[in-house]
Amino acid sequence: QVQLVESGGGLVQAGDSLRLSCVASGRTFTPYAAGWFRQTPGKEREFVAAIYWSSGSTTYANSVRGRFAASRDTAKNTVYLQMDKLKPEDTAVYYCAALPTCCDIWRAQLYDSWGQGTQVTVSS
């Protein structure tokens, strides 16, 4: 079983930046991909970004493309989400998750390990 722990959330103003981290532990961490999702009260978990573990290639939701950047450090079993030009609508709890096999990286139900989430609040 893999444990994922996010950190780096906080309260910022619109236009500011945050960097989220997600550290994996428990066993060898070699997922097909690591994803970032976010959720606000009363809404379903929303795909934000993903990084393919082997290649480092990334993909993003349209709402964050050009502002967010996912990266990973395979030696540290850590995934990052750099969030720039934050907007109030980015306010949510952000989760990292591990996708064990291909494909459909935007489907939350296919991920088998999840972190506890970290709150990001962007004030206007």
Side-chain angles (χ1 to χ4, degrees):
Q1 185 73 19
V2 172
Q3 289 81 45
L4 302 176
V5 178
E6 303 100 334
S7 62
L11 172 63
V12 297
Q13 294 186 332
D16 286 350
S17 298
L18 278 175
R19 189 194 196 202
L20 305 183
S21 299
C22 174
V23 180
S25 62
R27 60 172 170 83
T28 302
F29 187 63
T30 53
Y32 172 73
W36 288 96
F37 291 78
R38 64 188 181 187
Q39 190 170 26
T40 54
K43 294 189 177 181
E44 292 187 356
R45 204 160 288 190
E46 173 191 21
F47 172 78
V48 175
I51 184 164
Y52 296 89
W53 197 252
S54 178
S55 67
S57 297
T58 54
T59 188
Y60 301 94
N62 288 336
S63 58
V64 306
R65 186 175 292 114
R67 300 188 297 120
F68 290 13
S71 61
R72 90 266 192 260
D73 185 331
T74 56
K76 296 181 178 179
N77 286 347
T78 301
V79 184
Y80 304 98
L81 185 66
Q82 177 67 38
M83 305 187 295
D84 297 325
K85 301 178 183 178
L86 283 161
K87 304 176 181 180
E89 51 264 43
D90 294 320
T91 295
V93 177
Y94 284 71
Y95 299 89
C96 68
L99 181 66
T101 59
C102 181
C103 297
D104 293 352
I105 56 172
W106 58 89
R107 294 179 60 190
Q109 57 266 47
L110 298 181
Y111 288 72
D112 66 352
S113 299
W114 290 83
Q116 82 288 352
T118 185
Q119 177 71 47
V120 172
T121 303
V122 184
S123 63
S124 58

